[in-house]
Amino acid sequence: MKPSSLRRPPASHSARVREKRVRRSREILHAARVAFRERGYHGTTLDDIAARLGVQKTALYHYFPDKETILYTCHWEALEEVEQILGQALQREASSAARLRYVIKEHVRVMTETLEGSPLTFETTALSPTHAAQVIQRRDRYENGVRALIEQGIAQGEFRRVNSKIAAFAIFGAINWIARWYRPEGSLHAEELGSQFADHLTGGLTCQ
Amino acid sequence: MKPSSLRRPPASHSARVREKRVRRSREILHAARVAFRERGYHGTTLDDIAARLGVQKTALYHYFPDKETILYTCHWEALEEVEQILGQALQREASSAARLRYVIKEHVRVMTETLEGSPLTFETTALSPTHAAQVIQRRDRYENGVRALIEQGIAQGEFRRVNSKIAAFAIFGAINWIARWYRPEGSLHAEELGSQFADHLTGGLTCQ
DNA sequence: TCAAAGATTGAACGCAGGGTAAAATTTCGG
DNA sequence: CCGAAATTTTACCCTGCGTTCAATCTTTGA
């Protein structure tokens, strides 16, 4: 389940060293996420990412074989994150409406809190064919999960008889778009954002 | 009101020539929109755009001074398009709910029909400072118009007391995201898309 | 304290891709 | 059908950026 293309640590001895390496990898990925979100993949240079860590770009090659793999890993971890949400929703909530609300709220949280979700908005066209296939497959699995949730809601009479594909796209669009405008320093608070999104995207705007 | 940075036609004589030039400019902009939408601004090369027109990249320089201006013009015309929608909504519809529905439906149409709306999803960070300022100002005007619509709806008791900024972002996100997945050849029809989006983003999913 | 492993750097390479200039071709108006 | 204007092409320049590699600095563990 781990991204196979992380540069393999050459049979290191101590766990401490390995740990440090992992920490550094995370730092790189975080810097990359910030940069990619602001400038896009092609608009971001390895210097950009390295500069955020106060290091030369060549240092990055100790952790990732190339730029594209950094992008891929960002994608992969984001998918890991949101997939968990879906599982939790099914476990913790009973009604379809409550489950969908949970997914939206948590997805928004992942989006705003650590930026972990923003890779979902990166263009998959920049990935290598192999990586793209993996990412798209996994992303589809998540999307299908949410669609299934909507369809259950319809079957049980909780939701109107909508096209679940379109409904899911509307929800993901609203959430993913957050990466384009949300800034932690801004006036909008993540808390409010999550719950209002959940309300709006399930219950709508109009008064009942 | 026209983008001032189109390469100025050298005092041409016939109107016919001028017309042809405009037509060609439009073709270039269309090819650029398609390419930008697929690969992003930085991921698109001038060769890409030119190839779609069966021409060498240098031919483009007869119509636009540089790549960035092509992007800017895409943005500018998209804004022109959606601003009209807002005006029409105020004119044709009476209630806030109906107006908002109209805006969403038409915005979706512009998004799917000619791709005219997709530039709104291009990263403004790639624009030059001057161009970025213009685009952002105009985009804000549109967004504020929609926010005002929502606030009116709240004031008149049609909408719930939401944060209009967040609500507007949710709506724009859902719509703008269309550029990421919609393909004219696909199974989803634009008609259905527009009306379901309008329903979903105003009335929600849950049964009343 | 020291040797080995790990992390980072600096210099350099190669090439993709934006941009320029002048020549070649096509279109237009009379 | 001709000359001028408009358009496109051919050839080229050059910077930016991904990547490689050997050298250097740092950390680790005994």
Side-chain angles (χ1 to χ4, degrees), chain A residues 87-104:
Chain A
Q88 289 166 2
L90 297 175
Q91 206 174 349
R92 298 189 191 181
E93 305 287 346
S95 74
S96 299
R99 284 173 173 172
L100 187 58
R101 276 191 54 93
Y102 181 86
V103 169
I104 294 170

Side-chain angles (χ1 to χ4, degrees), chain A residues 4 20 29 63 66 81 86 88 92 103 115 163 167:
Chain A
S4 55
K20 201 175 168 187
L29 289 172
Y63 302 89
D66 52 29
E81 198 81 15
L86 192 53
Q88 289 166 2
R92 298 189 191 181
V103 169
L115 226 58
N163 179 325

Side-chain angles (χ1 to χ4, degrees), chain A residues 121 160 180 200 202 204-205, chain B residues 121 160 180 200-202 204-205:
Chain A
T121 74
R160 297 185 357 254
R180 281 293 179 84
H200 187 169
T202 57
L205 283 180
Chain B
T121 74
R160 295 184 3 252
R180 282 293 177 84
H200 187 170
L201 295 169
T202 58
L205 283 181

Side-chain angles (χ1 to χ4, degrees), chain B residues 146-163:
Chain B
V146 173
R147 280 184 57 188
L149 214 56
I150 294 171
E151 276 159 20
Q152 280 180 353
I154 295 172
Q156 292 161 356
E158 290 185 64
F159 295 151
R160 295 184 3 252
R161 304 197 160 279
V162 297
N163 180 327

Side-chain angles (χ1 to χ4, degrees), chain A:
Chain A
M1 269 302 161
K2 275 198 178 171
S4 55
S5 39
L6 276 176
R7 177 147 275 180
R8 174 185 299 243
S12 71
H13 304 133
S14 96
R16 187 160 157 195
V17 170
R18 209 159 37 221
E19 210 174 273
K20 201 175 168 187
R21 183 186 176 81
V22 169
R23 220 180 13 252
R24 196 67 168 146
S25 298
R26 281 200 221 289
E27 287 172 2
I28 294 172
L29 289 172
H30 180 72
R33 280 198 302 268
V34 177
F36 289 157
R37 194 182 57 150
E38 281 181 10
R39 303 263 190 210
Y41 174 72
H42 293 289
T44 299
T45 97
L46 289 177
D47 279 317
D48 287 344
I49 299 172
R52 285 174 194 276
L53 303 167
V55 101
Q56 295 302 113
K57 65 178 170 185
T58 44
L60 306 180
Y61 283 88
H62 237 258
Y63 302 89
F64 299 92
D66 52 29
K67 188 187 176 190
E68 191 266 342
T69 302
I70 298 180
L71 177 69
Y72 165 69
T73 312
C74 286
H75 266 114
W76 199 250
E77 294 193 347
L79 287 164
E80 200 122 10
E81 198 81 15
V82 294
E83 258 179 12
Q84 282 182 8
I85 294 174
L86 192 53
Q88 289 166 2
L90 297 175
Q91 206 174 349
R92 298 189 191 181
E93 305 287 346
S95 74
S96 299
R99 284 173 173 172
L100 187 58
R101 276 191 54 93
Y102 181 86
V103 169
I104 294 170
K105 232 174 148 171
E106 286 300 296
H107 194 149
V108 169
R109 186 187 55 72
V110 166
M111 210 73 185
T112 55
E113 206 167 67
T114 53
L115 226 58
E116 204 71 40
S118 71
L120 297 172
T121 74
F122 301 162
E123 309 130 58
T124 49
T125 53
L127 292 166
S128 74
T130 321
H131 284 164
Q134 289 180 254
V135 165
I136 288 173
Q137 187 189 333
R138 197 168 183 185
R139 193 195 55 192
D140 284 353
R141 196 161 65 211
Y142 175 59
E143 287 183 1
N144 286 334
V146 173
R147 279 182 57 186
L149 213 57
I150 294 171
E151 277 160 19
Q152 279 180 352
I154 295 173
Q156 292 160 356
E158 289 186 66
F159 295 151
R160 297 185 357 254
R161 303 196 161 281
V162 297
N163 179 325
S164 67
K165 202 169 183 179
I166 295 178
F169 276 136
I171 291 171
F172 290 131
I175 296 176
N176 289 333
W177 196 248
I178 291 174
R180 281 293 179 84
W181 56 266
Y182 179 79
R183 294 297 173 268
E185 326 83 55
S187 59
L188 289 177
H189 232 335
E191 194 69 22
E192 188 190 2
L193 196 59
S195 57
Q196 185 173 320
F197 260 55
D199 288 341
H200 187 169
L201 296 169
T202 57
L205 283 180
T206 50
C207 297
Q208 325 251 9

